[in-house]
Amino acid sequence: MKVQLFFLSATLIYGTFSEFDIYHILQENLVLKVHYRKKSSRKNNYGIEKLFVIGDSYADTGNLPKMWKDKPYGLTFPGKPDGRFSDGHILTDFIADFLGLKSPVPYRMRNAQKKDLQYGINFAFGGAGVGKTLSSVPNFSTQVDFFEELIKKAVYSKCDLEHSLTLVTLSGNDYSAFLARGGTILDLIITFIPGVVQKLAAILKRISDLGVKRIAVGSLPPLGCVPVITISSGFKQCNYTANMASILHNSILADSVAQLNNESLSTQFEILDLDAAFTTIIQHVQDRKEAPLTPCCQGIANYSCGDVDSNGKQMYTVCRKPKHAFFWDNAHPTQAGWHAVFSVLKPTIKDLCEFS
């Protein structure tokens, strides 16, 4: 599954960073931690006993395990591909660890032993959106259907839901599909983005109606700064138009979440500001001598990270030290990058956990 984003070629430089900077500067600020515990040693102090996940490749931890047959995906953890769109752990894993939980099992493992479901379940599928995307995977509405079905089967109780947190991520697959199918930038801005956010708000309301008390929804990251866009400038500049689309999406989302909070007496909704987190990390890097926003894993010619040709020849390159890079491939952060993002988001997550 290739994540593709198509936007106009206007440019805006948010910032640049080198591999040395992303490791050194974030480490100095205690943002980057590259050694991830396999089992959390942190006691759960928030009363959150389960983590549920609705979303796309920014949260999927293994619902599409056969995406890659060999490395480089999973290079850092677990040493082989396991369905994560990164070299290792992603946002879902870091949030679970913060809660003192094991990362929830992917939905495809729903028939596992009950003890394996005790930390929640991950319904996210890479390539998904609120509508029809370029990938034939369950959209957000169907993922909530899966969630509701498990509740009806008494896999999870009312008490489980009350003592849980649900993570929702939408990273732009609806928008790339719209433009890939011939949609115009004008229509995207005037009608499509508001429509996508409206559907996302409806999804959040459905999750709340199931009995979940804490819902964290990710904002759209600065799409103009992801490598699939910045490659046109040699990874030197962000795309202004794409970033304006993210800003519009996030502005409408903020209004929608505020309305949901005003209307709800029992559920707290919080936005995890991925746009600010990504931008903060990029802007904090001072040395601008190397190519900015360069992904660790890059395809050769028209190939993508992880691709091989008809003869099985590797058609991609991987940087020597993924922990020094923020982006892993053309759209997703490295494990180190996700940990840096999580560290920026942690205060918001902590506030949501304390809601009662």
Side-chain angles (χ1 to χ4, degrees), residues 201-255:
I203 291 296
L204 299 177
K205 179 64 165 56
R206 280 191 63 193
I207 297 170
S208 173
D209 290 343
L210 294 177
V212 174
K213 288 185 173 293
R214 303 166 193 83
I215 300 175
V217 56
S219 71
L220 204 61
L223 294 179
C225 295
V226 298
V228 71
I229 298 296
T230 62
I231 190 174
S232 63
S233 66
F235 304 116
K236 293 180 180 179
Q237 294 180 324
C238 297
N239 182 296
Y240 177 81
T241 304
N243 281 336
M244 290 303 101
S246 294
I247 290 172
L248 176 59
H249 171 104
N250 293 335
S251 176
I252 300 173
L253 177 62
D255 291 340

Side-chain angles (χ1 to χ4, degrees), residues 248-307:
L248 176 59
H249 171 104
N250 293 335
S251 176
I252 300 173
L253 177 62
D255 291 340
S256 298
V257 168
Q259 182 177 346
L260 286 169
N261 277 322
N262 287 335
E263 296 173 350
S264 176
L265 298 176
S266 59
T267 302
Q268 180 67 23
F269 302 85
E270 290 284 355
I271 293 176
L272 300 183
D273 198 343
L274 295 180
D275 184 275
F278 277 50
T279 302
T280 296
I281 295 165
I282 293 171
Q283 288 181 332
H284 272 71
V285 179
Q286 302 301 315
D287 188 344
R288 300 174 182 270
K289 295 179 181 179
E290 298 183 18
L293 311 174
T294 303
C296 175
C297 183
Q298 300 183 53
I300 298 172
N302 294 323
Y303 290 89
S304 300
C305 174
D307 282 350

Side-chain angles (χ1 to χ4, degrees), residues 65-201:
K66 297 182 180 180
M67 283 287 298
W68 303 279
K69 295 181 180 180
D70 201 353
K71 295 178 182 179
Y73 286 85
L75 179 66
T76 301
F77 172 87
K80 62 181 180 180
D82 66 346
R84 287 173 172 83
F85 289 71
S86 185
D87 65 309
H89 293 97
I90 62 173
L91 183 60
T92 303
D93 302 302
F94 291 116
I95 292 178
D97 185 62
F98 174 73
L99 298 175
L101 307 174
K102 290 183 178 180
S103 197
V105 298
Y107 175 70
R108 67 180 179 85
M109 297 176 62
R110 62 193 177 279
N111 295 322
Q113 296 182 12
K114 190 172 182 178
K115 66 180 180 64
D116 294 324
L117 306 179
Q118 64 179 310
Y119 301 106
I121 198 162
N122 189 335
F123 302 96
F125 282 80
V130 296
K132 186 177 181 181
T133 64
L134 301 178
S135 304
S136 299
V137 296
N139 65 19
F140 287 20
S141 181
T142 301
Q143 292 176 31
V144 177
D145 289 342
F146 294 157
F147 194 1
E148 187 172 14
E149 181 182 5
L150 293 181
I151 295 170
K152 288 180 179 179
K153 291 181 177 180
V155 175
Y156 297 108
S157 66
K158 178 181 177 181
C159 183
D160 289 333
L161 300 176
E162 291 177 347
H163 294 85
S164 71
L165 184 151
T166 295
L167 169 67
V168 181
T169 66
L170 184 151
S171 61
N173 294 313
D174 293 282
Y175 301 140
S176 60
F178 175 79
L179 294 170
R181 292 176 179 134
T184 67
I185 293 295
L186 184 62
D187 288 340
L188 178 80
I189 293 172
I190 294 176
T191 61
F192 195 73
I193 290 178
V196 166
V197 178
Q198 183 179 34
K199 291 179 181 178
L200 179 58

